[in-house]
Structures are given as structure tokens and as C-alpha cells.
Amino acid sequence: MNAINDSILTLILLVPLAGAVIVALAPDRAKLPNWIALLTSLVTFGLTLHLPFHYALQRSGFQFVVNKPWIDSPAIAYHVGIDGLSLWLVVLAGLLAPVGVLASWNAIQSRRKVFFVLFLLQQTAMFGVFISL
């Protein structure tokens, strides 16, 4: 289970981004962008549910931390983690994404593909705000 703990935040961050790419590349037929966005947001929500069940309350500081150097000069790194507050913000963002997709299911009649690509990119950005260190 340690392997999933080491990469769970990266998965939570990249799944909506991958979903946005899939929606962008898929044809804009019927409700296909809606279904892809719903499936992506449900998978992401499922991944966020891993966090509260594996969060160690007795430990202080950030958990599920990933710190990978990216560029040496200037010192830029991929550094993510969560604390007790951001844990629940990530789960809440994960919960609200499928709700948002379902709420816009029939409301968006034109340019559905663009809407759901931007929706999933916005979800990626929200997760990035909550988990970035």
C-alpha cells in the first residue's frame, strides 16, 4: 500500500488532466464529452477517498509528500503534500466535480466539448492549489 501512498497526489492531479485531453481528442457526438467528464470526475473522487482513510492523525506536518527536483538552476521542484486542512479541501473538490458535471448535463447545449475540457482543467488547477507545497 506504500506505493499508492507515494503517488496518490500525483494521480489525483493527473487524472482530470488526462480526462481533459481525452475529451479534447474525442469527437463531439451526443453526450460523449459529458460521459467522459463524469467518468473522469468519479475516478478522481474515488482516488481522493483514499486520503482520509490513510491519513495518520497522530503525525504532524504534511503527509503523502512528493518532492522531485525538476530544474537545477533556478531550483524548481515538483513538491506536493497535504495537511489536515487541505485533505478535506481535496476531498470536497473531488466530491463537487461529479456534482458539477451532473448539474451541467442538460444545461450546456453548445460547445460541450470545450466546456468539459475547461471544467476538467479547472479541477486540475483546484487540486494543484490545495496540494502544492
Side-chain angles (χ1 to χ4, degrees), residues 4-45:
I4 189 74
N5 285 344
D6 292 341
S7 61
I8 189 69
L9 292 179
T10 303
L11 286 172
I12 290 171
L13 194 61
L14 293 180
V15 166
L17 186 62
V21 170
I22 292 170
V23 170
L25 296 176
D28 194 5
R29 281 191 238 136
K31 299 279 187 180
L32 184 62
N34 303 44
W35 284 108
I36 295 170
L38 180 62
L39 179 65
T40 301
S41 62
L42 287 172
V43 167
T44 306
F45 177 55

Side-chain angles (χ1 to χ4, degrees), residues 69-88:
W70 187 19
I71 300 172
D72 290 330
S73 180
I76 297 175
Y78 173 74
H79 193 190
V80 294
I82 58 167
D83 60 1
L85 179 61
S86 61
L87 161 76
W88 296 110

